[in-house]
Amino acid sequence: MPDDKSYTCQVRALHEDAVEAARSSSLPDDEVFELARLFTVLGDPTRTRILRALRSGELCVCDVSHVLGMSISSVSHQLRVLREHNLVKARRDGKIVFYTLADPHVLDLHETALEHVRE
Amino acid sequence: MPDDKSYTCQVRALHEDAVEAARSSSLPDDEVFELARLFTVLGDPTRTRILRALRSGELCVCDVSHVLGMSISSVSHQLRVLREHNLVKARRDGKIVFYTLADPHVLDLHETALEHVRE
DNA sequence: TTAACACTTGAACAATTGCTCAAATGTTCA
DNA sequence: TGAACATTTGAGCAATTGTTCAAGTGTTAA
């Protein structure tokens, strides 16, 4: 962090108390990254649609593909991302793999976010 | 949507009722995109840090830059994104622009998401 | 064993994104 | 007015991401 003009403003404009207050209440780095990563996972329209589809109960990959009108492969890739972040759970029954929401809490995030989106 | 093997599974594996249920409870497209867009905006570590920093009160761009240890330019770019999605508000006082959280609801999203992240 | 099939995976490609750098704005004050 | 300075903005570049295509895995049943 070079201390030149292009990088920071002149010292006299700083509000040191406010900066210190913000610093001391900040999240640990790893939590910041995990938090951001979770939102990133939620922040893809395809994955959003998959989570919404699973609200009504378990679906196999093929079902999800039909609901979304997208290829099996694409859906499977995204289900993997959701699985890796513990947002959905997989259960194999013979040739078919069924997916369910791992944690209904995720839908709380949708609800709160929808309130913001709808103003 | 071509109806060939590479695209969909064979019909007999489909669970039509489940597919229909999922379809009928799905969100309108524009809400899906807005929802996903909001999460995408929340899903960047820099923006996450900025929102956390603003929890303790208003900060000028320079303050935020110091709290995060990032360039003024970079912070200003991200503040713009947050502003455009109504997550922060700007107020100019002379040469200085102060930013505040536009809507404390956003922090609810952080709390719920942190619970998920912390298991 | 072999064929069929639901699903997964890896590589490749285009599109998006966050940062840096340089230049432009907007405001204050001498 | 002109200099100083906080902030914004645009272009450029590297890194990340979502989709497709093709090949691979795992399971069932003939």
Side-chain angles (χ1 to χ4, degrees):
Chain A
M1 173 170 165
D3 198 28
D4 61 357
K5 191 166 143 194
S6 74
Y7 200 83
T8 59
C9 53
Q10 306 301 82
V11 176
R12 79 184 100 152
L14 266 175
H15 310 87
E16 303 205 11
D17 292 351
V19 167
E20 196 40 55
R23 274 216 181 92
S24 62
S25 72
S26 65
L27 278 181
D29 266 11
D30 58 338
E31 285 197 331
V32 167
F33 282 100
E34 285 180 64
L35 189 57
R37 183 61 192 156
L38 173 57
F39 284 130
T40 297
V41 171
L42 294 174
D44 173 74
T46 297
R47 290 191 291 265
T48 300
R49 280 208 194 92
I50 292 176
L51 293 174
R52 299 305 289 186
L54 292 175
R55 279 207 314 167
S56 56
E58 71 174 8
L59 296 173
C60 70
V61 179
C62 175
D63 291 338
V64 176
S65 152
H66 272 77
V67 174
L68 271 61
M70 297 183 64
S71 76
I72 298 272
S73 173
S74 182
V75 165
S76 180
H77 274 297
Q78 299 301 356
L79 280 168
R80 182 163 130 104
V81 174
L82 292 169
R83 210 183 331 123
E84 286 172 346
H85 289 85
N86 301 314
L87 296 174
V88 302
K89 274 184 301 198
R91 157 179 95 78
R92 181 180 273 275
D93 180 8
K95 289 186 283 194
I96 302 179
V97 177
F98 289 96
Y99 281 88
T100 50
L101 293 176
D103 178 7
H105 269 55
V106 177
L107 295 178
D108 295 344
L109 287 170
H110 275 198
E111 290 318 307
T112 309
L114 277 172
E115 282 173 32
H116 186 271
V117 158
R118 290 164 174 159
E119 245 86 338
Chain B
M1 173 168 168
D3 197 26
D4 62 356
K5 195 167 139 192
S6 74
Y7 200 82
T8 61
C9 53
Q10 307 302 82
V11 176
R12 78 184 101 154
L14 265 176
H15 310 89
E16 302 205 13
D17 291 351
V19 168
E20 196 40 55
R23 273 218 180 91
S24 63
S25 74
S26 66
L27 279 181
D29 266 11
D30 57 337
E31 285 196 331
V32 167
F33 281 101
E34 285 179 65
L35 189 56
R37 182 62 191 155
L38 174 55
F39 284 130
T40 297
V41 170
L42 294 173
D44 173 74
T46 298
R47 290 192 290 265
T48 300
R49 279 209 196 92
I50 292 175
L51 293 174
R52 299 304 291 187
L54 291 175
R55 280 207 315 168
S56 57
E58 70 175 9
L59 297 172
C60 70
V61 179
C62 176
D63 291 338
V64 176
S65 152
H66 272 76
V67 173
L68 271 62
M70 298 183 65
S71 75
I72 298 274
S73 173
S74 182
V75 165
S76 179
H77 274 297
Q78 299 300 356
L79 281 167
R80 184 163 128 104
V81 174
L82 291 169
R83 211 187 326 125
E84 285 172 347
H85 290 84
N86 301 314
L87 296 174
V88 302
K89 275 183 302 197
R91 156 178 95 77
R92 181 180 273 276
D93 180 9
K95 288 185 285 195
I96 301 180
V97 177
F98 289 96
Y99 281 88
T100 50
L101 293 175
D103 178 5
H105 269 52
V106 178
L107 295 179
D108 295 344
L109 287 171
H110 275 199
E111 291 317 308
T112 308
L114 277 173
E115 281 172 33
H116 185 272
V117 159
R118 289 165 175 159
E119 245 84 340

